[in-house]
Amino acid sequence: MAALSILDLVRVTQDTDARGALYNARDVAVHAEAWGYRRIWVAEHHNMAGIASAATSVVIGHIAAGTKTIRVGAGGIMLPNHAPYVIAEQFGTLARLFPDRIDLGLGRAPGTDQLTLRALRRTPEAAENFPQDVLEVQAFLAEAGPNQRIQAVPAAGTDVPLWILGSSNFGAMLAGELGLPYAFASHFAPELLIQALQIYRARFKPSEQLDRPYTMVGVNIIAAETDDEARRLATTQQMSFTNIFRGARGLSQPPIDDIESYWSPSEKAQAMRMLTRSIVGSPETVRAGIDALVAETGADELMIVSDVYDHQKRLRSFELIAKAGGIV
């Protein structure tokens, strides 16, 4: 049985502001902890009015402070946007505050557009240093040597677990070479999922952190009492993807009865290609979908996005998913 975890997008909706989105994320974590989810992650996105997790380490602290046992982390930090030293300081501090509960997932995408990248004072070429930057973060989180002149205080010695995130084969190769767990973003980039997992497992070299390959698969799952209700709830996410293609990244929108009236045939084809791995339906449908995905991928863990507009219905979706996945 695969472990179940949550990627919370910290969505700002037409009915909530950023503060509401942040407290909703913490409320999801409180419930997820009780339902047996292993971890809850938030991701670094910039210049997106509908996502409130740009200051990712701050959001992680907010969620961890409201929970007791669930692991909390980044899925992920877009490392080319930052000095590795600063990320080590931030996550080492979180690890001191919340021992054995913090994860640091690292990605090499900017998590934003090129204009915002300039506002971050980073260059597109920074991504080329990603493998070296990962090693630098890892070194600063390790125990400092006796003659080490630069230490990440208070991070040194925390050994925060690192993850490599990816939506292509590059991350799979790097995670395998470094002996780190690998999370594939098939919740929005499903095409290379199987190939990337195969590459990761073939390339894997045991490390101090990990002695065997460990894979996490991102997946959109929306559960409701019936298939029809779940499909209606899923229109919120379908509209969000459509809006990305239109260059209109606004607030999350409530579900609609007829998604066909919202998108064009070409937009539908684009969105459904990105959402092809989604599991949407009743508990029975979700259970079958989870079983099939785990059997196909051999995933050790599923990282679930349940992009439901209404907070109470989103909680219900996660509860039904937990039951379907056999963790509660």
Side-chain angles (χ1 to χ4, degrees), residues 4 23 41-42 64 68 76 86 99 109 124 131 158 208 210 216 219 223 246 268 273 275 277 279 290 296 299 303-304:
L4 300 185
Y23 275 93
W41 284 359
V42 294
K68 296 180 175 65
V86 172
T158 55
E208 288 187 20
L210 196 63
M216 177 191 287
V219 57
R246 295 175 179 176
K268 177 181 180 179
R273 185 166 60 249
L275 294 169
R277 289 279 178 181
I279 302 169
I290 289 175
E296 181 186 7
M303 177 61 73
I304 296 163

Side-chain angles (χ1 to χ4, degrees), residues 16 250 317:
T16 62
S317 179

